[in-house]
Amino acid sequence: MSLSVFEAAARNLSFSKAAEELNLTPGAVSRQIQSLETALDVKLFERSHKRVSLTDAGRSYRDAIRLPLAELAAATERIRGRGDNAVVSVVAYPTFAIRWFIPRWGRFYDRHPQVDLQLTTSLDPVDFLRGRPDIAICVPPLGEAPAGLVGEKLIEVDLIPVAAPDVAVRLHRPDDLAQATLLHGAPRPRDWERWLSTAGLGAAVASIDPTRGLRFESLNLAIQAAIEGLGVAIAIEALVREDLASGRLVEPFGIVRRSRRPIHMMYPEGNAEKRAFRMVRDWLLREAGAASTN
């Protein structure tokens, strides 16, 4: 206990801040430090009015114990998680994994380094009897989770056209797309048709052929092609939000086509009993909630 108290006080250069961090009183921190100094027979802190500073011995001792204490904390977390299903497997669409999941993964690891979060990608409907992932992030085939699975909405599927700024400058109205190259992601072949219908340029008008243009094997490749200025991609807004914020992409029309089938997180009912699973589930819901308010 005294070592962790010393480390917190040395890092904060404040007994009161160390006390707040460790949920102790400043007096308790001071007594722990005094006890450690007595045991070591060395002065670790210089004390003045409302301030403390490390002595040379204190700085040397801080540097010596910092790594062992961090390793001890990590080992403790691993032991706590080992018996409680600390491996959690997630399967997701490739584009969702690249553009949404992976950029947020570091925040989960910072909070829960003891959880072995394993990510795989697939375009196929998830077969929990065969692959048995703990969580599948996908659009449920029938719009809802199959029997025995729990489904929770993560993000809306809001379709928007996106283009590089140099391309978007020529797009003032939706019918300007007649002169643009449309970019398609093979897994979602009807997205342009759906968006054009929402924009009033559907089959009845037939002013734009929604099937023409360049095709890519993934939505992510189509989005990257748009960033490179090859044409106009039809994208899911949540997956290009950072590109729009940075200016790499522009949404030229302000017309959104919202699907009736959002992207869900699905998992077997019994998984809710697992502590590590709940950490991943709660993190995903927090991230999705934060993204929806940005």
Side-chain angles (χ1 to χ4, degrees):
M1 178 66 174
S2 295
L3 288 180
S4 60
V5 170
F6 167 73
E7 190 280 331
R11 176 165 34 84
N12 290 289
L13 289 180
S14 167
F15 289 0
S16 60
K17 289 182 179 179
E20 182 179 347
E21 180 179 311
L22 299 171
N23 199 26
L24 298 171
T25 65
V29 169
S30 180
R31 288 190 294 273
Q32 290 280 348
I33 297 297
Q34 289 174 354
S35 176
L36 183 60
E37 288 177 324
T38 299
L40 296 173
D41 193 24
V42 68
K43 191 175 183 180
L44 299 172
F45 286 94
E46 296 287 356
R47 296 155 173 88
S48 59
H49 181 62
K50 295 185 178 180
R51 293 184 59 188
V52 295
S53 59
L54 287 165
T55 63
D56 289 343
R59 281 190 291 273
S60 177
Y61 194 54
R62 175 202 62 193
D63 295 342
I65 70 169
R66 180 179 291 164
L67 181 58
L69 281 178
E71 291 175 342
L72 179 61
T76 300
E77 289 300 319
R78 287 195 296 271
I79 290 296
R80 285 175 175 171
R82 184 172 296 163
D84 196 14
N85 300 290
V87 176
V88 179
S89 59
V90 178
V91 62
Y93 296 133
T95 298
F96 182 93
I98 292 169
R99 305 192 71 84
W100 195 96
F101 191 99
I102 290 175
R104 294 166 168 79
W105 198 340
R107 290 198 285 269
F108 177 83
Y109 184 76
D110 288 343
R111 293 171 64 99
H112 306 294
Q114 77 278 17
V115 177
D116 183 5
L117 182 55
Q118 300 178 351
L119 174 66
T120 58
T121 63
S122 176
L123 289 172
D124 298 327
V126 177
D127 184 349
F128 282 96
L129 297 178
R130 181 183 62 203
R132 300 195 66 80
D134 294 302
I135 296 174
I137 299 174
C138 60
V139 175
L142 301 177
E144 58 185 25
L149 301 179
V150 177
E152 297 186 78
K153 185 178 78 173
L154 273 185
I155 62 172
E156 298 286 356
V157 175
D158 288 337
L159 298 178
I160 57 172
V162 291
D166 289 348
V167 175
V169 73
R170 301 190 294 271
L171 303 173
H172 306 289
R173 300 174 309 193
D175 55 10
D176 289 337
L177 290 169
Q179 308 305 319
T181 301
L182 304 186
L183 307 177
H184 305 262
R188 299 185 60 90
R190 297 188 60 197
D191 279 357
W192 268 118
E193 176 186 344
R194 291 164 176 149
W195 184 87
L196 287 168
S197 178
T198 298
L201 298 172
V205 178
S207 60
I208 298 175
D209 179 359
T211 66
R212 64 176 174 78
L214 303 179
R215 286 167 178 75
F216 299 86
E217 67 178 8
S218 73
L219 181 59
N220 187 56
L221 287 176
I223 292 169
Q224 188 60 41
I227 292 173
E228 299 298 331
L230 295 184
V232 186
I234 187 74
I236 297 172
E237 187 271 340
L239 305 186
V240 294
R241 196 166 289 159
E242 292 184 5
D243 300 295
L244 293 169
S246 69
R248 288 189 294 269
L249 289 173
V250 174
E251 193 284 294
F253 306 120
I255 300 173
V256 177
R257 196 272 185 185
R258 172 163 290 185
S259 171
R260 292 190 294 272
R261 297 168 58 197
I263 292 176
H264 279 65
M265 167 176 56
M266 298 198 304
Y267 52 88
E269 292 174 346
N271 281 5
E273 302 300 319
K274 304 173 185 177
R275 178 169 174 261
F277 166 83
R278 293 195 301 271
M279 291 178 181
V280 177
R281 170 193 173 273
D282 293 347
W283 165 70
L284 285 169
L285 291 174
R286 281 196 306 271
E287 291 288 346
S292 68
T293 60
N294 289 342

